[in-house]
Amino acid sequence: MGEVRTRFAPSPTGYMHIGNLRTALYAYLIAKSNDGKFILRIEDTDQDRYVEGAIDVIYNTLKIVGIEHDEGPDIGGDYGPYIQSERKEIYQKYIKELIDKGDAYYCFCSKERLENLRQESKNKKIPFRYDGHCRNLTKAEVEEKLAAGEKYVIRQKVPQTGTTTFKDEVFGKITVENSSLDDSILIKSDGMPTYNFANVVDDHLMAITHVVRGSEYLSSTPKYNLLYKAFGWEIPIYVHLPLILREDGKKLSKREGDASFEDLYRKGFLKEAIINYIALLGWSPGTEQELFTLDELIENFSIDGLSKSPAIFDMEKLRWMNGEYIRKLSLDEFKEVATPYFKKPIKKRDVDYDVLSRLLHTRTEVLSEIPEQLDFVDELPDYDIELYTHKRMKTNPENALIHLKEAYKVLEELEDWSFDSIHDSLMDLVKKLGVKNGQVLWPVRVALSGKQYTPGGAIELAELLGKEETLKRIKIGIEKLSSR
RNA sequence: GCCCCCAUGGUCAAGCGGUUAAGAUGCCGCCCUCUCACGGCGGUGACAGGGGUUCGAAUCCCCUUGGGGGUACCA
């Protein structure tokens, strides 16, 4: 075979959901793992669904995740135009050919008539199919109606007998009765082609070798096959992908905000994690490896690793994987991506972002959850003194009060306010008192944060808050415990 | 309703006629430890059901059930 060429052909809806992105990814991987070309084509034949700026969403998303196309509307190529609405004449030319060959025909049926037909079928509980009303109009009849300016669409003339078989790389051989296929519309009354026609013409003209798309197209593929045959064109390799479902087992939808790439990205999921995760939704490398860069995916990807059954999008696992990617970041890199999230909860106090980064980088799974971990920094929350009771530490309000007072004295004396000096002074105190670390450190941590759980311990929080604030908060703790 | 497809733990999944049925995630426990997290160790949990084929089926065939997709002048 010659050069492998795949395409990603989204319709510009202004929204890139995870399933679409994954389709793009797989199409890209199939191309790149074969040293082939990846093409971007915009399927905007539905003029009613035009959304302003939607194409930019597609460009931006692909750019962010690093899926680069070799040909497309923005960069051109030898097979353009790459926007279907600009290819109208091309379809006109090919539909003529089909009509001449007798594989397509003019249909003058009104929408009302079709609606009645549909209703009738429904009442009779039989499957709706176009009744072929215009299928056998004579040439003269067609000419006459055309001359009279009657509105028309052009339908595919599907054989009424026999079967059609096609082979899909993941689903295998699929055979259907031609009698179950409808004479679907190829050209709409506005002159635009439907997907049913445009995808075949474009994939052929653009020399696409592997047609990669969601499995929702599986059931119409026989009709496309018939079209390829009618034209005498080579049938491409079909790669239909299992769908991605929501946790409740339903298809991903736009209403489910979390399902779009943009939303996840904005929520603080790293692009590498998103790509890695969706790559594994429906594909397995056949090895134990789970973490892949884009390049590693290219290296390891193979069509036989694709599975047939739909996969449920599991937010928990994405979270875990995102955590993995965050932990792989260097401290500086983490600081870079986390800084916007540091700024949100911390407005009053001047804290060292390096220290914050150190505290949070193993404690962050999703960036957007950073603020809630730092809600005690600006302002000490009001807390219950029962927080001072910890069974395993053997702390309670009584001994906490004593140890807090001791800690205060020691820290007050400290000249150099660094992690090490705070550490040493507090540990000396522990030693002097002859108690366990937790006896002193737990109460201090509680006094500093007012929280049950904090990122980091007493020493780290003291370092973060600075001497003045640390002493102030310990004092508050002492007062709380004293006035009990 | 009709057509097509799918079916291994909650989830992602390996398996492609002979395995103690991997691994990951989640959950639980233990260790580390000043809390939490990270890290380490261990545990829980699956071949949807029924018929065949075969010396032998998670693997092949059929039926049932369940799920998904399609059934548009949407893609």
Side-chain angles (χ1 to χ4, degrees), chain A residues 453-467:
Chain A
Y453 311 115
T454 51
I459 299 163
E460 287 155 320
L461 296 190
E463 179 196 15
L464 182 73
L465 292 170
K467 183 171 180 178

Side-chain angles (χ1 to χ4, degrees), chain A residues 203 389 438:
Chain A
D203 283 342
T389 304

Side-chain angles (χ1 to χ4, degrees), chain A residues 6 15 62 80 211 309 377-378 399 441 482:
Chain A
T6 65
Y15 171 90
L62 294 181
V211 170
S309 42
V377 177
D378 260 6
N399 58 27
L441 295 174
S482 304

Side-chain angles (χ1 to χ4, degrees), chain A residues 18 42 158 174 224 243 298 324 408 463:
Chain A
I18 276 319
I42 302 298
V158 174
I174 294 174
Y224 309 151
L243 265 16
I298 292 171
E324 289 288 306
Y408 188 93
E463 179 196 15

Side-chain angles (χ1 to χ4, degrees), chain A residues 6 18 28 61 184 289 306 359 437 450 457:
Chain A
T6 65
I18 276 319
Y28 174 79
T61 305
S184 50
Q289 187 178 351
L306 289 172
L359 295 184
N437 294 353

